[in-house]
Amino acid sequence: MRKTITKKLREIIMPSESPFSKRVYRRAKRDYSKLPHNAKSDFIELLRATYNAESVAKAQHREPLA
């Protein structure tokens, strides 16, 4: 796996946050390497959309109740 791809995956998943995210990062690397060439970019975009939606949900959940 190329260094640029691992950087993209780290940027999306951020494995330094918790042990759970480290496991997710390793699983994502393994799944990415099993994919055919034409599906790899779709996999990255799907991960980005998934984690972006999660971060928005976390931000909404943490807003103070007035």
Side-chain angles (χ1 to χ4, degrees):
M1 180 175 295
R2 292 180 183 250
K3 188 176 180 181
T4 55
I5 298 304
T6 58
K7 282 185 178 182
K8 285 181 184 179
L9 290 175
R10 283 182 185 271
E11 175 186 305
I12 294 168
I13 298 175
M14 296 181 202
S16 62
E17 289 182 353
S18 70
F20 176 75
S21 62
K22 288 181 183 180
R23 287 193 304 264
V24 172
Y25 171 71
R26 285 193 300 259
R27 185 177 297 149
K29 279 179 34 178
R30 187 172 51 241
D31 291 345
Y32 179 86
S33 64
K34 290 179 183 178
L35 290 173
H37 177 71
N38 56 354
K40 290 184 176 187
S41 62
D42 294 336
F43 181 78
I44 296 289
E45 291 304 316
L46 180 66
L47 272 179
R48 187 170 283 133
T50 302
Y51 276 89
N52 190 18
E54 283 183 11
S55 65
V56 169
K58 285 180 185 178
Q60 291 174 351
H61 179 68
R62 293 183 181 176
E63 291 179 4
L65 298 173

